Each structure stands twice: as C-alpha cells, then as structure tokens.
C-alpha cells in the first residue's frame, strides 16, 4: 500500500515489502516489524506515554511503516495529508516558500494538525539525506481507533 497523498514515486510501505518474504507468513512479518519499531519509538518518545498494553495492541493493528528515500516529498504545501506519522529513523527537512527553515527528527510527529483540522499544509516536508522511516496511521484508521478506544485516540 503506497500512501496515496504522498508524492513519493515508488516508495512502499512495509506491507508491500512483505510480499517478497519467503517461508513466513507475510502478516506475521509485517506485525513483527511494526511491533519492533513501535516498541523502539515508544520507549523513548513522549507521544506514547500513558498507553497501556491493551491500547498498544490496538495501535499495532493500525500502524504502518513507511520508508521514503532522500528528497522524497512527504507533505507538499497546499496538500491535506490523510495520515499522521511519527519519525522512527532519519530526518525530515522542513521548507517554507522553497527555503529550508528547520528539520524534524526521531520521535517527532507530522500531519496531526492537518488530520484534525483538515486544513491544507503551509509547509513542505522532504526526507533528509539518509531517507526517513515513519510509523503512520491513516485518517480512517485513526477514526477506527478513536471509535474502538476513545482514550487511545485522545492520547495520540
């Protein structure tokens, strides 16, 4: 599954990579990769403080891993991303009116304001020099999480 509102060309989520896996259940491989990366980020990021084991299990069901190569646009000015993402590896360069203004790194979240307000982004986000890996949740999945466990939705 390529996240459709990203201008990433051939960038794939972990779900597509698992089709190439031999000898193991693709779903098991995907869940294991999500679990490992989610655990790593949770142990060091304040975004996940207060999430209990049951809520974590729900979160694991909906999180996808997205890898983007150097220079890939994750959000373009004027777009309305339909996901939120947490940087698990690498950096994102932040541009305003074509000029780099800052960068975002490990544990920082993107897309949350656009997800909640549905307003267009004023900034562009591009994968940094070594690319970037994000844990992502699509808007529809965020709504499912919120419907299933409102407390978890509020924590995110």
């Amino acid at each position: 599954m390529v996240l459709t509102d990203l201008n990433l060309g051939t960038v794939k989520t972990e779900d597509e990579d698992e089709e190439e896996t031999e000898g193991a259940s693709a779903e098991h491989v995907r869940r294991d990769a999500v679990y490992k990366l989610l655990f790593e980020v949770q142990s060091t990021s304040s975004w996940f403080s207060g999430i209990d084991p049951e809520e974590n299990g729900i979160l694991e069901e909906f999180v996808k891993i997205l890898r983007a190569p150097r220079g890939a646009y994750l959000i373009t000015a004027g777009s309305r991303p339909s996901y939120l993402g947490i940087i698990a590896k690498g950096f994102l360069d932040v541009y305003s009116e074509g000029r780099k203004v800052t960068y975002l790194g490990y544990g920082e979240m993107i897309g949350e304001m656009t997800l909640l307000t549905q307003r267009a982004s004023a900034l562009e986000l591009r994968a940094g020099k070594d690319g970037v890996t994000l844990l992502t949740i699509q808007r529809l999945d965020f709504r499912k999480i919120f419907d299933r466990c409102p407390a978890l939705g509020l924590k995110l």
Side-chain angles (χ1 to χ4, degrees):
M1 174 187 115
V2 174
L3 300 179
T4 57
D5 58 3
L6 300 180
N7 183 15
L8 301 177
T10 59
V11 172
K12 299 176 182 179
T13 62
E14 193 73 21
D15 288 345
E16 290 178 322
D17 292 337
E18 71 194 19
E19 292 173 7
E20 300 171 10
T21 304
E22 295 180 31
S25 160
E27 177 64 16
H28 174 74
V29 170
R30 183 194 78 80
R31 303 273 282 165
D32 190 50
V34 166
Y35 173 79
K36 286 178 183 176
L37 196 55
L38 187 58
F39 177 79
E40 182 180 311
V41 174
Q42 284 177 327
S43 64
T44 58
S45 174
S46 63
W47 285 108
F48 295 105
S49 62
I51 294 179
D52 66 40
E54 182 180 336
E55 293 168 335
N56 197 56
I58 294 168
L59 192 58
E60 287 174 21
E61 290 179 40
F62 295 101
V63 168
K64 303 268 191 283
I65 298 172
L66 175 75
R67 293 187 176 96
R70 175 186 186 164
Y73 287 84
L74 279 85
I75 296 177
T76 56
S79 69
R80 290 182 175 88
S82 63
Y83 68 96
L84 64 84
I86 298 170
I87 300 171
K89 294 181 182 175
F91 294 90
L92 289 172
D93 294 323
V94 180
Y95 292 83
S96 177
E97 299 177 0
R99 300 176 74 191
K100 183 177 174 181
V101 293
T102 191
Y103 67 92
L104 300 173
Y106 181 82
E108 294 189 85
M109 189 174 283
I110 65 166
E112 71 280 8
M113 292 308 296
T114 303
L115 186 73
L116 296 172
T117 66
Q118 308 242 343
R119 291 187 178 174
S121 175
L123 303 172
E124 289 185 339
L125 301 178
R126 295 184 202 168
K129 68 176 185 164
D130 295 324
V132 68
T133 300
L134 300 172
L135 294 170
T136 63
I137 301 173
Q138 292 289 301
R139 175 180 285 122
L140 293 175
D141 289 337
F142 184 78
R143 288 182 182 155
K144 290 176 188 175
I145 290 169
F146 197 83
D147 289 344
R148 194 159 149 195
C149 184
L152 176 58
L154 291 172
K155 290 175 186 177
L156 295 174

